[in-house]
Amino acid sequence: MGDRLLEGRHILLGVTGGVAAYKAVALASRLTQAGAVVDVVLSAAAMRFVTPLSFESVTRRRAHYDMFALPADTSPQVCPGDLLIAHIALARSADLMIIAPATANTLAKLAHGIADNLLTAVALAVTVPLVIAPAMESHMWEHPATQSNLAALRARGVVQVGPATGHLASGASGVGRMSEPEEIIAAARMVLACNGDLAGRRVVVSAGGTREAIDPVRFIGNRSSGKMGYALANAARDRGAQVVLVTAPTALPDPYGVQLVRAESASEMRDAVLAALEGADALVMAAAVADYRPVQVSAQKIKKTEENLMLELTRTPDILGEVAGLRAAGRGPRVVVGFAAETADLLANAQAKLRQKRLDLIVANDVSAPDAGFGVDTNRVTLLWADGSVEPLPLMTKEELAHVIWDRVQCLWA
Ligand code: PMT
């Protein structure tokens, strides 16, 4: 499946000689599956561990290792008529270069501008960001020479991922394992996102369903999985925004590159959202926040009896209501977007919330539909604007909807 951030991006993947080179095949494969055009450059030592064919099989492009080869006609990034040697041709149209694994030897060459093989020559010729994933034995990692080479590379803007601590090829355990492909891709995405259309913006997103304690083991909750809010946070991050995600408990993995603030109850979410709003350009409240909580929270587990149990409930803070108050006082974010989860009279109820909470936009969500709302990966919503405009949207994934919402937030900022 394509990926909005990686789709069509030309990524150079340098692979140097370490046992972790086998993980670079998985990395090349994942980048290709995400829609990136991946050109792999191997050092001679890397080819002792993996073959060019391994990479060619997953990228469906020729892998490169010969410094003096002329570009083959399989390299569409080379302009017809150009007679460029390989390192210049490869460097020319790249959006990003990743070196994974990066050995101590290659790091030393990179730090000192040595270009004695195709990979280091390409690294010297590229003008795009470089992400490195070091992998080596612990003592080599800790050696002052390696550390000073890394410091020099970081000072030049090279982005370092890892290494992780764990089992090493030497049989010992320690620091030096190459980071997993997912972590390297996450770093690559962060670098590519820097020029996104939300770069320079700070946004706050809420996600998940709050829990209101009844006793130490029970709570009042709802069916929110957090998927919609996490999709909004991920999409904003991929477009270059600085994102604070205030999340109620969910089963979703922590998103990378996002400041995660956990909040369990409506009251905790209120405090976290208001604290995060300092300097924020937008707030998007996708969280399903409880409207009521028990008046009394039992300190001990409530015992079963023959009698009915009555719970007295009281209102929780209306977070968006408080944000409206802030904005009326000239504080708070420029743009505030709410969601309305409805099972009946969708548009009328959403309109009322848009007005009461003085929102710029509300995302009206018919949560009775099986393919929309709570838990599922898709959503079908109608956007209601403060000026009265109504914009019905077709069924789409929550990721796609997240991007549409940020597109609309962009209009509101304009
Ligand atoms: O998490 P998923 O499984 O992906 O599901 C997504 C979703 C259905 C939770 C999401 O799309 C959604 O509709 N979220 C809003 C749910 C909700 O609480 O709606 P509401 O109509 O009760 O609240 C209206 C708005 O006021 C919401 O933006 C809500 O965050 C906010 N609110 C609610 C109560 C409260 N005390 N303070 C608030 O700020």
Side-chain angles (χ1 to χ4, degrees):
M1 197 182 67
D3 174 305
R4 192 171 157 133
L5 191 63
L6 293 169
E7 185 96 57
R9 305 307 281 268
H10 181 208
I11 297 178
L12 296 175
L13 173 59
V15 183
T16 66
V19 70
Y22 78 93
K23 287 205 264 183
V25 180
L27 175 61
S29 173
R30 299 226 184 116
L31 289 167
T32 305
Q33 286 172 47
V37 176
V38 183
D39 275 318
V40 176
V41 186
L42 295 108
S43 70
M47 289 195 289
R48 306 290 294 265
F49 291 92
V50 278
T51 66
L53 183 61
S54 310
F55 291 101
E56 287 166 346
S57 306
V58 298
T59 64
R60 295 181 292 280
R61 294 172 66 79
R62 195 164 66 89
H64 306 266
Y65 46 88
D66 183 355
M67 175 84 160
F68 303 100
L70 291 177
D73 54 11
T74 51
S75 301
Q77 71 271 16
V78 179
C79 304
D82 278 0
L83 192 59
L84 298 172
I85 54 172
H87 64 286
I88 303 296
L90 284 165
R92 197 170 185 174
S93 66
D95 292 301
L96 176 74
M97 182 168 189
I98 301 172
I99 303 182
T103 58
N105 180 44
T106 293
L107 292 176
K109 290 180 186 179
L110 296 176
H112 295 279
I114 295 170
D116 63 349
N117 62 33
L118 180 61
L119 190 155
T120 48
V122 171
L124 202 58
V126 289
T127 53
V128 291
L130 175 62
V131 174
I132 51 167
M136 66 200 72
E137 196 271 330
S138 298
H139 292 106
M140 295 173 81
W141 168 253
E142 282 155 9
H143 196 286
T146 303
Q147 290 305 316
S148 103
N149 288 334
L150 278 163
L153 291 169
R154 285 194 302 264
R156 265 181 238 151
V158 171
V159 175
Q160 178 189 325
V161 190
T165 300
H167 181 77
L168 302 172
S170 62
S173 186
V175 65
R177 270 178 76 82
M178 188 178 98
S179 294
E180 293 305 315
E182 289 314 325
E183 210 182 319
I184 299 168
I185 293 175
R189 295 173 67 93
M190 290 291 295
V191 171
L192 289 170
C194 283
N195 297 325
D197 62 348
L198 299 186
R201 297 293 190 178
R202 182 180 150 83
V203 302
V204 180
V205 175
S206 71
T210 58
R211 296 175 174 183
E212 307 303 324
I214 297 171
D215 67 17
V217 299
R218 303 182 181 96
F219 58 82
I220 299 173
N222 62 66
R223 298 180 191 283
S224 171
S225 63
K227 285 179 182 175
M228 190 65 243
Y230 278 54
L232 280 156
N234 288 334
R237 175 212 54 213
D238 284 353
R239 292 166 71 159
Q242 191 191 336
V243 184
V244 181
L245 174 62
V246 180
T247 180
T250 74
L252 301 174
D254 292 355
Y256 66 86
V258 159
Q259 188 189 332
L260 200 71
V261 182
R262 297 182 201 280
E264 186 151 321
S265 63
S267 159
E268 284 174 19
M269 184 165 278
R270 171 222 175 254
D271 293 350
V273 166
L274 294 187
L277 283 185
E278 186 67 45
D281 297 297
L283 167 66
V284 181
M285 283 288 293
V289 185
D291 288 321
Y292 292 92
R293 64 172 174 81
V295 172
Q296 297 287 344
V297 180
S298 170
Q300 304 299 331
K301 183 180 170 191
I302 299 171
K303 291 291 171 203
K304 185 167 63 181
T305 66
E306 296 307 312
E307 306 299 315
N308 288 343
L309 177 68
M310 304 292 286
L311 279 180
E312 190 188 349
L313 303 179
T314 183
R315 283 299 310 265
T316 55
D318 179 348
I319 304 170
L320 283 177
E322 286 195 43
V323 173
L326 280 181
R327 295 214 295 169
R331 287 155 42 225
R334 270 261 304 282
V335 172
V336 179
V337 178
F339 274 70
E342 307 294 342
T343 54
D345 300 324
L346 177 67
L347 296 188
N349 285 329
Q351 279 288 3
K353 286 176 186 170
L354 176 74
R355 272 196 312 275
Q356 282 157 12
K357 297 175 190 259
R358 281 171 280 170
L359 304 172
D360 299 297
L361 184 70
I362 195 158
V363 183
N365 218 177
D366 176 359
V367 292
S368 64
D371 52 5
F374 293 107
V376 291
D377 292 333
T378 50
N379 218 346
R380 187 189 294 99
V381 303
T382 300
L383 303 182
L384 305 182
W385 298 71
D387 69 358
S389 321
V390 176
E391 186 184 359
L393 295 175
L395 183 73
M396 59 182 82
T397 64
K398 285 181 175 169
E399 284 69 30
E400 288 165 340
L401 175 59
H403 281 291
V404 173
I405 291 170
W406 290 121
D407 289 344
R408 301 303 180 267
V409 169
Q410 284 275 39
C411 299
L412 287 161
W413 277 326

